[in-house]
Amino acid sequence: MSMAGLSLLAASRLSFPTCYRGCTLSLKMKKAMISIKTQPAESGYQQEKVNINADDLFQQKSAIRSKLRRQLRAMNPSLRHEEDCAIQKIVLDSPWFKSSTSLCAYISCASLFEVDTSQIISEVLSSYADQNSHMQKSLYVPRVENKKSFMRMLKITNREDLIANSMNILEPSAIDSSGIERQDVMQAKHPVDLFILPGYAFDRSGRRLGRGGGYYDCFLANYMELASRKGWRQPLLVALAYSIQIVDDPIPVTPTDIHVDAIASPAGVLQISSAAMERM
């Protein structure tokens, strides 16, 4: 995402609380001025403002989630496996993944119908374990801390670093086996090149519909602000999507919804932002 896009995002977030303290859009608002990124331009995304009722926005998002949830549940297991393998192969074979030195990626959960990331995670961890490898990568994965949209990305070096939380979703323990706190990506000395992101639905302009908790949007906004403050290049935001998760109609968004730079699906990589077109 370009610096211009980041500035527009930051400006649109001025009336919202800091994400680490919770990042929510109040449904008590009768009207909200929603910034919608309409299409990529040379400097990033073009902006369009429309008036939209916040309750209507919530209902529209809920309807899309319900529809996609039904479709994902009904997806043929063989087709799901085929698409999982195809998407991961596309990522693993790509120059933008191979050249990355530090990335954040989600640990997929089958019960949430997320695109599988097990091969990607294994590849990164195996490169880290090989001390002679020239392709070592630092890997940070999500840990949800509370129900107020507070999520951290902590560094792991092997699968034993992961434990099941109360929802039986794998996430890193806060403390490693030596009793030392895991490195938080927000305190890392070097920037992250790449984010591998989940979601329920995506449109061809990079709009992303998550599960409604705001965890990724809040975290990404904080990290992008950190990168800007430190003068780092913004990371590539790449979403993984099954074929049915890419929708033709625009996804309704709020000023706190972060757009992705590209979408990896079984059909290939859809490059959306100018950053994606330059770096992928």
Side-chain angles (χ1 to χ4, degrees):
M1 184 175 295
S2 67
M3 290 300 295
L6 180 61
S7 297
L8 286 166
L9 172 67
S12 70
R13 291 169 52 236
L14 291 178
S15 61
F16 292 86
T18 301
C19 290
Y20 271 139
R21 299 173 188 165
C23 179
T24 57
L25 176 65
S26 174
L27 294 180
K28 294 180 181 179
M29 291 165 39
K30 295 300 181 182
K31 289 284 183 180
M33 185 67 81
I34 305 301
S35 293
I36 298 180
K37 296 170 185 173
T38 55
Q39 59 186 1
E42 287 185 3
S43 60
Y45 289 97
Q46 294 179 344
Q47 300 286 320
E48 176 183 305
K49 289 188 175 181
V50 297
N51 284 315
I52 187 168
N53 183 285
D55 289 332
D56 289 344
L57 182 72
F58 177 79
Q59 292 174 6
Q60 290 171 24
K61 286 189 171 188
S62 295
I64 297 172
R65 288 190 186 100
S66 296
K67 178 181 179 181
L68 265 295
R69 190 180 300 114
R70 290 193 299 270
Q71 291 179 338
L72 288 167
R73 284 177 176 169
M75 192 174 179
N76 184 287
S78 297
L79 177 60
R80 183 190 303 277
H81 176 71
E82 180 181 323
E83 294 204 0
D84 280 332
C85 293
I87 294 167
Q88 291 184 94
K89 186 177 188 305
I90 287 169
V91 173
L92 292 171
D93 290 346
S94 68
W96 44 269
F97 174 81
K98 291 180 178 180
S99 64
S100 66
T101 58
S102 183
L103 71 153
C104 293
Y106 69 96
I107 304 295
S108 56
C109 179
S111 63
L112 298 179
F113 309 108
E114 294 173 331
V115 173
D116 186 23
T117 58
S118 60
Q119 294 177 36
I120 296 171
I121 299 299
S122 295
E123 179 74 15
V124 176
L125 292 178
S126 63
S127 74
Y128 188 88
D130 184 359
Q131 298 299 319
N132 297 318
S133 173
H134 297 293
M135 300 298 292
Q136 282 190 342
K137 304 178 190 295
S138 294
L139 174 63
Y140 300 86
V141 298
R143 176 183 169 87
V144 173
E145 298 292 354
N146 59 39
K147 295 182 179 180
K148 297 181 180 180
S149 303
F150 179 26
M151 179 181 77
R152 294 195 292 162
M153 289 277 185
L154 303 183
K155 186 175 182 178
I156 64 170
T157 57
N158 57 66
R159 284 195 171 273
E160 285 65 45
D161 293 339
L162 300 173
I163 57 175
N165 64 15
S166 60
M167 297 181 64
N168 204 34
I169 298 173
L170 290 177
E171 62 181 19
S173 57
I175 307 295
D176 67 18
S177 57
S178 302
I180 301 174
E181 285 192 15
R182 295 194 187 282
Q183 184 183 84
D184 188 320
V185 74
M186 296 296 289
Q187 276 78 53
K189 294 181 179 179
H190 303 287
V192 167
D193 306 306
L194 175 66
F195 276 80
I196 302 292
L197 303 172
Y200 252 137
F202 310 89
D203 67 21
R204 297 180 186 279
S205 292
R207 303 181 187 95
R208 171 186 172 272
L209 180 67
R211 298 185 177 279
Y215 289 95
Y216 276 94
D217 290 317
C218 288
F219 179 84
L220 289 169
N222 275 336
Y223 187 84
M224 291 162 66
E225 185 178 358
L226 172 70
S228 179
R229 191 168 66 247
K230 287 183 173 289
W232 292 343
R233 183 170 68 168
Q234 293 294 334
L236 276 175
L237 308 183
V238 181
L240 307 188
Y242 293 118
S243 300
I244 59 174
Q245 291 181 288
I246 301 177
V247 300
D248 293 325
D249 295 331
I251 290 175
V253 293
T254 73
T256 58
D257 291 330
I258 304 294
H259 289 49
V260 299
D261 294 305
I263 305 169
S265 75
V269 177
L270 175 62
Q271 299 173 1
I272 300 167
S273 71
S274 58
M277 295 174 187
E278 292 167 4
R279 296 161 58 183
M280 301 182 81

